[in-house]
Amino acid sequence: MKTKRFTAEEAAQAAEILTSGGLLGIPTETVYGLGANGLDPEAVARIFAAKGRPQDNPLILHIPSADWLERYCEHVPEAACALAAAYWPGPLTMILERKPMVPDVVTAGLDTVGMRCPSHPVCRAILTAAGVPVAAPSGNTSGRPSPTTMADMLEDMDGKIEGIVDGGPCSVGVESTIVDLTVRPPRLLRPGGITLEQLRAVLGEVAVDPAVTRLMGAGEQPRAPGMKYRHYAPKAPVTVVRGDPAESARCIRRRIGDRDGVICFDEFAALFEGHPVETIGPKDDQSEQARRVFDALRAFDGTDAAQIWAQCPDPVGIGLAVSNRLNKAAGFHIIDAEAEP
Ligand code: AMP
Ligand code: MG
């Protein structure tokens, strides 16, 4: 199959791929998504095939405005309206009770559905032109880092999808925040572009699912099916070094092997001359780190790095999402710089 490239101005034309049962690469403010008509079970099934995605990992339905929630969700709670008023359109997914019309293949048979209203203008033009809810996960091959540019997505999906729309590099760079509103208190399932602090400002108490900060044990059943899978990982194994940036840089410097690579804050790149190095932005600029973390992970697949050492921001603000992605890429293989001799 030849994958057709569309410019941002051709969004409406590209949307015809969705309404005719095809797969379309879609720019969003978070990452590029792999979209299909969310009401067409055959089209949605092709998403799983193109990504090599396990069947029990549900997708998110993308809608152009909050008033579409009632069409697909039962008993929409007041909390959903309050969150939508505060943060939609934007990088936030709400888990709500689904209506029977939502195909099982979208929800992986769950009685809940993930709903998001994105803010990227090109994505919004596609959703409006399509006139259907668009089911989409991130546009990577399952297990690989999510794509934040059209070129990243084509690395994984060229020839497997009918088209892709170029909306430029993603402004957030990590996937949407997922909050489950079907439990009391509401529960953060995945940290993302909307911070935990922002959720609490609207909802009050918000629980954090244990899978956000640690590896689930073999006998444990995570609340979101996607949380049990290995994620975001480059080919080489990753070790995250936590702690004060100057300390973690020194810790990596002491341990690094000749063929090892480093993901570090801009300030420390010079310490690792001679090694493959990917910087993710200044140590105090977490938004920039979010934009660059997936590209940094992806870049190592083009090198022969034996293993990768990564500095990591503190888990506050959007730093919680960045550290979650790095920790997952590392399979939660984490060491504390301060605890080192
Ligand atoms: P992706 O953005 O590629 O990670 O794919 C969508 C994410 O949303 C996955 O992590 C899913 O597990 C999660 N998700 C979608 N629907 C639900 C749901 N009903 N309950 C819990 N998590 C969900
Ligand atoms: Mg994904």
Side-chain angles (χ1 to χ4, degrees):
M1 177 191 311
K2 181 145 175 42
T3 301
K4 189 166 164 38
R5 277 76 160 158
F6 294 92
T7 64
E9 292 69 33
E10 296 168 325
Q13 193 190 327
E16 288 170 22
I17 288 180
L18 294 170
T19 46
S20 56
L23 298 183
L24 184 66
I26 293 176
T28 82
E29 70 276 22
T30 58
V31 302
Y32 274 68
L34 176 47
N37 175 356
L39 301 179
D40 177 346
E42 278 170 34
V44 174
R46 291 186 52 216
I47 293 177
F48 290 84
K51 281 183 62 100
R53 184 176 177 99
Q55 300 284 339
D56 65 349
N57 193 2
L59 310 177
I60 293 168
L61 277 188
H62 296 75
I63 53 175
S65 60
D67 56 18
W68 281 39
L69 278 179
E70 302 280 349
R71 300 187 192 182
Y72 311 110
C73 304
E74 209 84 77
H75 311 123
V76 175
E78 190 46 47
C81 304
L83 281 179
Y87 303 125
W88 274 6
L92 175 66
T93 297
M94 304 185 216
I95 305 298
L96 297 165
E97 274 178 60
R98 71 149 162 170
K99 282 192 168 156
M101 70 176 301
V102 178
D104 275 341
V105 63
V106 172
T107 67
L110 299 176
D111 51 12
T112 56
V113 59
M115 302 295 300
R116 174 160 119 79
C117 175
S119 66
H120 194 299
V122 177
C123 182
R124 298 181 60 72
I126 295 167
L127 293 178
T128 305
V132 293
V134 173
S138 52
N140 50 288
T141 298
S142 230
R144 288 204 78 207
S146 301
T148 54
T149 63
M150 179 165 89
D152 285 351
M153 182 154 171
L154 284 169
E155 258 181 32
D156 289 10
M157 293 298 156
D158 203 6
K160 298 183 177 170
I161 59 178
E162 276 77 9
I164 183 167
V165 185
D166 191 357
C170 300
S171 60
V172 177
V174 290
E175 300 90 337
S176 61
T177 301
I178 303 182
V179 63
D180 187 347
L181 297 179
T182 68
V183 292
R184 289 272 127 235
R187 178 178 282 244
L188 177 71
L189 301 184
R190 177 173 75 185
I194 296 295
T195 65
L196 181 58
E197 295 82 352
Q198 285 175 299
L199 292 180
R200 286 182 172 149
V202 172
L203 299 174
E205 187 183 2
V206 177
V208 178
D209 196 277
V212 170
T213 49
R214 67 172 174 80
L215 195 61
M216 300 301 283
E220 283 179 295
Q221 193 57 39
R223 176 81 198 161
M227 300 194 295
K228 70 175 179 241
Y229 295 107
R230 184 162 183 261
H231 256 86
Y232 315 125
K235 288 164 193 151
V238 180
T239 301
V240 166
V241 184
R242 268 197 305 230
D244 170 76
E247 289 292 334
S248 62
R250 269 196 293 274
C251 174
I252 294 171
R253 185 77 217 114
R254 278 196 305 275
R255 289 172 155 245
I256 194 165
D258 285 347
R259 293 184 42 239
D260 295 356
V262 183
I263 293 174
C264 67
F265 303 125
D266 294 356
E267 291 88 338
F268 305 98
L271 281 177
F272 305 108
E273 236 181 70
H275 294 271
V277 173
E278 290 295 325
T279 56
I280 55 172
K283 65 180 170 56
D284 296 323
D285 187 347
Q286 294 185 330
S287 297
E288 179 67 6
Q289 294 158 24
R291 278 189 288 274
R292 284 164 62 180
V293 66
F294 281 133
D295 254 3
L297 287 165
R298 232 165 223 280
F300 282 103
D301 284 350
T303 74
D304 59 357
Q307 51 172 331
I308 300 162
W309 300 88
Q311 288 192 289
C312 186
D314 289 335
V316 293
I318 199 170
L320 180 63
V322 177
S323 73
N324 169 265
R325 303 312 189 271
L326 284 169
N327 290 341
K328 291 190 87 161
F332 288 89
H333 187 241
I334 303 166
I335 61 177
D336 278 307
E338 273 89 358
E340 288 288 295

